[in-house]
Amino acid sequence: MILDLRSLLHFAAVAEARSFTVAAKRLGIAQPWLSQRIRTLEARLGFALFVRGRSIELTDEGTQLYTLASQLPKLARDIGSLADQLSSSSRKSLRIGAPPYANRIALVNDLLGELGTLYRDANISLEVGWSSHLVERVRDRELDAAFALMPFDTTGLNCIDVGQLYRLFVLDKDAASEGSVVTADTLKNRAVAVFPRAVNPALYDQAFEPLIKAGIELVPAAFDGRPMRNPVSPGELIPSYFGIPDPVSRPEEKRFVGSTAFSLRFVTHDEAGSSLVRAARTILMRPTIAPVSRDVDRATAISDG
């Protein structure tokens, strides 16, 4: 015999309350409708569940049936609670790490925008940090993906090249009109804002070796470009950051003569990853994705490696 579970839940509520009126209030339904529902169940079973009078009592058959039916309300609540947990845990999320200048790179903004359009219910977050730290957070599974500058250890990681960036130096208007590169002579007697070497020694050495050899003073700076030591006169400090040189629209931004480009990569775990991670990879590998150089704007002083 196949019985309606809702009718059994209603029966359990009446048996527990020993009152149709009380049970109806607890269930939020009309008492006459509940009484009819129980009579329909009794007709289906072929025996009475209650002895009706000034008060109601369970029949012998009703008592036996209630032994099992009494477990249904708690079971229903447990199933509902588990369903809520499963629904919450299955909700799509994507945690992406990016260097401080990421909001000035159209590629990053375009990726986040397209993912947000494709997965409207997903929770997509962007966390800012130094590249080397972001890579380790991906490796430790604290982040699902990250934009990071080479060099770094790629063992166990899936890396997609998304563009080439140079270390740029922001000069005053007088110096800006002199060619597309900056030389040691231009930087003489000036200090250059750089990220702290401890953050990413390998990238630091590659990016600033030409300046070190030329005897240029390097001043560690924080995310916002403020020097991490004093005294440094604002007029003596040359802001620097990673980006794409654009001599037409931003002639004040120059790369150091003879300097090389650094690869910006999208880093994920070596496994396939979630559907959001796979979608991000697919978008970034499309030939139509916006080039990394578009809309790279200059920071106030420094951007991470």
Side-chain angles (χ1 to χ4, degrees), residues 5-149:
L5 290 179
R6 185 176 293 275
S7 294
L8 292 174
L9 285 168
H10 290 168
F11 159 65
V14 175
E16 181 182 353
R18 291 296 195 270
S19 166
F20 282 94
T21 302
V22 173
K25 288 182 179 179
R26 291 177 180 176
L27 294 170
I29 58 179
Q31 185 271 329
W33 186 90
L34 177 60
S35 296
Q36 183 57 47
R37 189 67 178 263
I38 297 302
R39 291 189 183 279
T40 301
L41 176 61
E42 289 174 322
R44 172 77 172 131
L45 292 169
F47 55 80
L49 295 171
F50 298 101
V51 177
R52 294 166 173 82
R54 302 186 68 176
S55 62
I56 63 170
E57 298 292 337
L58 285 165
T59 62
D60 291 341
E61 294 85 355
T63 299
Q64 294 181 56
L65 191 64
Y66 179 62
T67 301
L68 293 178
S70 61
Q71 302 174 39
L72 290 177
K74 181 180 183 304
L75 184 59
R77 289 192 297 270
D78 290 345
I79 291 174
S81 177
L82 178 59
D84 288 340
Q85 294 177 28
L86 294 174
S87 174
S88 177
S89 64
S90 64
R91 193 170 295 131
K92 290 180 169 58
S93 65
L94 182 65
R95 300 159 300 171
I96 300 179
Y101 51 84
N103 65 330
R104 294 178 168 85
I105 299 179
L107 177 84
V108 178
N109 296 325
D110 290 348
L111 174 65
L112 296 177
E114 186 159 352
L115 287 174
T117 300
L118 293 173
Y119 299 89
R120 295 184 182 278
D121 296 330
N123 178 23
I124 302 173
S125 60
L126 184 69
E127 300 185 25
V128 175
W130 306 111
S131 287
S132 56
H133 295 171
L134 295 175
V135 170
E136 289 308 309
R137 292 190 66 193
V138 172
R139 201 186 305 277
D140 293 339
R141 301 181 183 278
E142 295 176 359
L143 291 174
D144 300 302
F147 289 93
L149 275 176

